[in-house]
Amino acid sequence: MAAIAPTPSTPDTTRPPDHGDEGAAAWRRLLIWTVGVFTAVDVIFMALIPTIIPPLAISAVVVGIGLGLLRWLPRTGVVVLGAISLLVGIGGLGTAEHLAHPSSGLDFVHAAVALGGRLLAVVAAVQVLRAAAAAGARRLGAAAVVLTGVVLLVGTVASLASTGEEIESGDVEVAITEHDFPDHTVVDAGDTLFVDNQEPFRHTYTVEGTDLDVVIPASQGVRIPVDIAPGTYEVICDIPGHEEMRGTLEVR
Ligand SMILES: [Cu+2]
């Protein structure tokens, strides 16, 4: 009678080796880094303006609370960080327009980090809760670092390469300073405005009720012929968050 050899016990190979706690820890690290970076960039941006932007300020406070919760109530902390990233990310979708204007480097980099970082944070939070494999967190983290470098490079090069226009004799100068237009500008029909943006942020010179709607890149001047009927018009900047920028243009 043949002896029956004992069957050696085999390890459980149904789960990848990095699944579970190690995966959750890797995604958690990615989540912490991501919310840390976009919060730091938000705070620097507000300090440069300098203005408190309510959604970004609330985001910074809630991120702080979420990071604190990670220690005592880990899953709650992850949910808080994911939820605030999702809410403020959706609320900030209007700023995606900055991504089309890399020559206004500060707005471009801030929008890319604020929106891309929040998307990454939402993904990381979901993956922590799913205890997804760690390899994905490492790949996505590496991709985010590379992409951030590319965004910084593009914003810097485009800003340096873009020189704007020069004022010409006879132009009526309109300076944008301290996040505002002059209260009142007077021109004759057919004159040319020279709108000089003296700030490191992108603005628009938008004359309400007319087709005059011109992007003024950061730290640049743009010449704008005034081909509109005589009258007094409201001038605004149509960039989200710039609602306080108002003036009037009187065309004689
Ligand atoms: Cu503006």
Side-chain angles (χ1 to χ4, degrees):
M1 197 169 86
I4 298 169
T7 310
S9 67
T10 51
D12 177 10
T13 55
T14 55
R15 280 153 56 107
D18 68 355
H19 207 87
D21 290 348
E22 191 196 334
W27 284 105
R28 212 172 89 127
R29 275 196 299 278
L30 181 62
L31 175 63
I32 292 168
W33 267 99
T34 305
V35 297
V37 167
F38 74 59
T39 301
V41 171
D42 284 349
V43 169
I44 292 168
F45 186 79
M46 286 190 284
L48 286 171
I49 298 179
T51 305
I52 301 273
I53 301 173
L56 299 188
I58 292 167
S59 167
V61 171
V62 176
V63 163
I65 293 169
L67 290 173
L69 282 172
L70 283 181
R71 191 173 173 83
W72 311 108
L73 297 164
R75 288 182 78 83
T76 308
V78 169
V79 170
V80 166
L81 292 173
I84 191 66
S85 302
L86 181 65
L87 289 175
V88 178
I90 290 172
L93 282 177
T95 61
E97 195 190 312
H98 288 307
L99 300 178
H101 300 272
S103 63
S104 297
L106 208 55
D107 285 324
F108 173 76
V109 171
H110 180 235
V113 172
L115 293 175
R118 283 179 166 93
L119 176 62
L120 181 58
V122 172
V123 171
V126 170
Q127 297 293 69
V128 175
L129 299 176
R130 293 179 60 225
R138 287 192 282 267
R139 276 198 296 271
L140 207 55
V145 169
V146 171
L147 213 58
T148 305
V150 170
V151 161
L152 278 170
L153 187 68
V154 169
T156 305
V157 170
S159 297
L160 294 175
S162 178
T163 53
E165 296 179 285
E166 297 293 328
I167 190 167
E168 295 187 12
S169 81
D171 287 356
V172 177
E173 188 169 1
V174 174
I176 299 177
T177 58
E178 296 176 7
H179 236 54
D180 212 354
F181 298 113
D183 286 341
H184 191 67
T185 304
V186 181
V187 296
D188 290 322
D191 277 355
T192 296
L193 289 170
F194 180 76
V195 182
D196 185 19
N197 182 1
Q198 300 178 4
E199 299 196 302
F201 309 102
R202 185 169 66 92
H203 295 296
T204 73
Y205 191 85
T206 304
V207 182
E208 290 194 307
T210 75
D211 294 336
L212 252 179
D213 179 19
V214 181
V215 171
I216 319 292
S219 309
Q220 291 180 24
V222 176
R223 300 184 71 234
I224 306 174
V226 181
D227 297 320
I228 52 179
T232 299
Y233 302 88
E234 290 290 322
V235 177
I236 61 161
C237 170
D238 74 359
I239 290 177
H242 294 202
E243 290 78 14
E244 80 281 12
M245 294 180 67
R246 304 194 80 89
T248 52
L249 175 68
E250 183 183 343
V251 183
R252 293 187 298 209

